[in-house]
């Protein structure tokens, strides 16, 4: 299989697409124990560009046992932290060196703009990679003064952090490369070994990452990749008794399934789950800031962002002006394949997801909601026109559930109090934003919003040094920040009588 569209690809991308399907176990591309495969589609055309293995439970077991053997023999975890850091920094350097290859491969399988792939999947990912690599030399414990029984002996007590073991990283399809690295890098920096399972619809960059890590000096067996369905390979991985830690990013329903599976083995788990993220626009907000901010917050990657703005609550005096400006903005967006760097709206990831988003819009129409559509989209490929849903009722599925598409609900509110109440009326709490020119108002409202991240006069932007995760059913645990590696280590207390 290969790409046959109008855009020129790097030779390495064409060669990679033509490879026989394989998974990465113990540092090698290997065939599956079974014969099942999964097609990989170009979302802009719906044509098959590659084939991936649909891994069996036996394949998963081989990968986990390879990771466990690599962990137990100490080839990685007993390496000097400074040496482990250097290997991971080289890994980051190689990703940047191969940046255009990664960007094109990411756009081909996911559909997003090549500009976003270059900026986020390669450029921003390398920042996260270097940040995590630097934490390899910052792992530390604490000493304690204790009140243990006296006598002739003295006591010295302290804690140390030790790598947790085999980490199962499960990455979603919206930012397959970047979020895979959010799983892999802290695990490797902590001294763990990894089995990564990318989404079955976007498996390609994950396979290339494992090969690049080997090139950088990560020992064989420390970073393995299996591809396949969530129900098959994913379930086998999350229930495997040798997996010590699961890091999952994806939908809340799937996260609950993984959490239940983890309980049986008391596997440690971090879950970054769905969002239904509100944006509150107060009447004093600067429209020149709000409009581009909401366009980025709501339509980046076609709205396929867990922290995307999806519910906008606008104080009545500004409502008409804001809606008019948003309507003009979405009607002027250029639509087309992600490999065209001039496009702003690109296809959704799959035909199945396209149908799901359409179903939310159909439900809203049938309930009498007013929909304003933007630029026309091609009939070929998995496109959805950017859409505003005006004054959607709080009972609509589109208001209550994560849509993950280029859809922005815009509701008129009487005042800030109504906006806060409606913003918090959700079982999800990943992100929220507040738009105002008044500092006192911002400082008073921010603590009242039930979300793991609250932006003021911006939305969706994140940083390696800023912890990220959700309130309520948007997840368990936090990624990023100076404590990122804590989730990939066990805390051991040491008590010495002397």
């Amino acid at each position: 299989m290969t790409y046959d569209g109008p855009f020129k690809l790097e030779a390495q991308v064409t060669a990679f697409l033509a490879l026989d399907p394989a998974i990465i176990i113990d540092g090698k591309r290997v065939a599956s124990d079974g014969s099942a495969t999964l097609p990989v589609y170009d979302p802009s055309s719906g044509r098959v560009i590659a084939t991936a293995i649909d891994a069996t439970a036996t394949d998963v077991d081989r990968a986990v046992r390879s990771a466990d053997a690599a962990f137990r023999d100490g080839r990685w975890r007993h390496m000097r932290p400074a040496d482990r850091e250097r290997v991971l920094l080289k890994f980051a350097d190689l990703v940047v060196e191969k940046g255009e290859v990664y960007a094109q491969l990411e756009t081909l399988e996911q559909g997003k703009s090549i500009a976003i792939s270059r900026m986020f999947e390669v450029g921003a990912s390398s920042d996260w990679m270097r940040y995590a690599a630097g934490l390899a030399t910052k792992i530390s414990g604490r000493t304690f003064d204790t009140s243990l029984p006296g006598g002739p002996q003295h006591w010295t007590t302290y804690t140390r952090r030790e790598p947790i073991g085999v980490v199962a990283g499960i990455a979603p399809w919206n930012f397959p490369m970047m979020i895979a690295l959010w799983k892999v890098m802290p695990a490797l920096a902590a001294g763990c070994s990894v089995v990564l399972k990318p989404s079955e619809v976007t498996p390609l960059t994950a396979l290339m990452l494992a090969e690049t890590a080997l090139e950088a000096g990560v020992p064989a067996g420390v970073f393995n990749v299996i591809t396949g369905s969530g129900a098959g390979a994913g379930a086998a991985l999350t229930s495997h008794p040798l997996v010590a830690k699961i890091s999952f990013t994806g939908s809340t329903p799937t996260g609950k399934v993984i959490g239940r599976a983890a309980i049986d083995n008391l596997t440690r788990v971090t879950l970054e789950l769905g969002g239904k993220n509100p944006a509150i626009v107060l009447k004093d907000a600067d429209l020149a800031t709000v409009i581009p901010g909401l366009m980025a917050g709501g339509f980046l990657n076609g709205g396929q962002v867990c922290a995307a703005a999806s519910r906008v609550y606008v104080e009545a005096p500004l409502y008409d002006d804001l809606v008019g400006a948003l309507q003009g903005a979405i009607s002027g967006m250029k639509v087309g394949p992600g490999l065209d760097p001039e496009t702003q709206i690109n296809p959704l990831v799959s035909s199945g997801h396209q149908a799901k988003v359409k179903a939310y819009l159909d439900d809203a129409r049938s309930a009498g909601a007013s929909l304003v559509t933007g630029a026309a989209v091609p009939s070929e490929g998995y496109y959805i026109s950017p859409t505003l849903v005006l004054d959607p009722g709080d009972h609509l599925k589109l208001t209550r559930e994560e849509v993950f598409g280029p859809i922005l609900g815009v509701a008129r509110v009487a005042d800030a109090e109504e906006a806060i109440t409606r913003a918090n009326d959700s079982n999800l709490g990943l992100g929220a934003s507040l738009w105002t020119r008044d500092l006192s108002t911002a400082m008073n409202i921010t603590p009242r919003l039930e979300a793991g991240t609250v932006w003021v006069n911006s939305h969706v932007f994140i940083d390696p040094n800023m912890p990220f995760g959700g309130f309520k059913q948007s997840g368990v645990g936090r990624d990023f920040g100076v404590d990122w590696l804590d989730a990939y280590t066990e805390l051991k207390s040491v008590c010495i009588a002397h």
Side-chain angles (χ1 to χ4, degrees), residues 26-393:
D26 204 26
K28 304 180 186 67
R29 291 179 63 92
V30 299
S32 173
D33 174 68
S35 59
T37 58
L38 295 166
V40 181
Y41 295 95
D42 170 7
S44 70
S45 66
R47 290 190 283 273
V48 176
I49 55 170
T51 303
I53 284 174
D54 189 4
T56 67
T58 300
D59 295 331
V60 173
D61 183 63
R62 283 193 294 156
V64 173
R65 291 187 184 279
S66 171
D68 184 63
F71 179 75
R72 294 187 182 283
D73 71 15
R75 69 186 82 160
W76 181 248
R77 66 171 170 151
H78 292 157
M79 187 181 288
R80 287 196 326 144
D83 294 332
R84 202 161 61 236
E85 179 185 44
R86 288 189 188 98
V87 170
L88 295 178
L89 288 172
K90 184 177 180 182
F91 183 19
D93 289 343
L94 287 173
V95 166
V96 172
E97 184 180 311
K98 303 171 189 284
E100 186 60 19
V101 174
Y102 274 111
Q104 289 183 10
L105 200 59
E106 183 82 356
T107 289
L108 273 174
E109 66 175 343
Q110 201 276 337
K112 64 166 61 76
S113 166
I114 188 68
I116 294 175
S117 291
R118 290 167 180 158
M119 182 184 299
F120 291 100
E121 304 288 354
V122 177
S125 287
S126 65
D127 291 341
W128 262 275
M129 294 179 78
R130 293 183 176 114
Y131 185 93
L135 295 177
T137 54
K138 313 301 186 296
I139 300 170
S140 62
R142 298 169 61 192
T143 60
F144 304 94
D145 288 334
T146 52
S147 300
L148 295 166
Q153 78 268 33
H154 300 282
W155 301 91
T156 297
T157 55
Y158 62 92
T159 56
R160 53 178 284 119
R161 287 199 170 272
E162 300 177 356
I164 199 166
V166 177
V167 174
I170 303 177
W173 48 254
N174 59 330
F175 288 91
M177 177 179 169
M178 175 182 274
I179 299 179
L181 287 166
W182 293 351
K183 313 300 180 191
V184 170
M185 289 301 295
L188 295 182
C192 300
S193 55
V194 181
V195 179
L196 173 67
K197 194 202 88 66
S199 166
E200 58 264 39
V201 298
T202 53
L204 301 179
T205 49
L207 293 164
M208 184 174 280
L209 283 172
E211 295 178 349
T212 303
L214 284 164
E215 186 181 347
V218 175
V222 171
F223 181 5
N224 307 271
V225 178
I226 56 158
T227 59
S229 70
L237 180 59
T238 55
S239 62
H240 199 291
L242 293 179
V243 168
K245 158 82 180 182
I246 301 167
S247 178
F248 169 78
T249 297
S251 71
T252 295
T254 303
K256 290 179 179 180
V257 172
I258 288 172
R260 285 190 287 268
I263 287 294
D264 285 342
N265 295 320
L266 290 180
T267 305
R268 307 314 192 244
V269 64
T270 299
L271 304 172
E272 195 266 279
L273 306 179
K276 192 63 191 172
N277 310 294
I280 295 175
V281 183
L282 301 184
K283 60 188 176 184
D284 72 324
D286 178 14
L287 274 184
T289 300
V290 174
I291 299 305
L294 289 182
M295 291 296 291
F299 299 112
L300 176 71
N301 196 21
Q304 298 168 119
V305 181
C306 57
S310 58
R311 297 181 290 144
V312 184
Y313 298 104
V314 190
E315 280 196 291
L318 200 61
Y319 179 85
D320 290 336
D321 288 343
L322 183 140
V323 168
L326 284 177
Q327 185 173 352
I330 66 171
S331 65
M333 298 179 84
K334 184 174 180 181
V335 180
L339 286 173
D340 179 352
E342 300 300 318
T343 58
Q344 298 162 298
I345 285 291
N346 309 111
L348 300 184
V349 71
S350 68
S351 60
H353 188 58
Q354 179 194 38
K356 176 183 173 184
V357 174
K358 283 182 176 178
Y360 278 110
L361 293 174
D362 291 342
D363 177 74
R365 283 192 192 93
S366 66
S370 174
L371 274 61
V372 176
T373 56
V377 299
S379 57
E380 181 183 61
Y382 312 138
Y383 293 90
I384 293 282
S385 177
T387 303
L388 307 178
V389 183
L390 304 183
D391 279 318

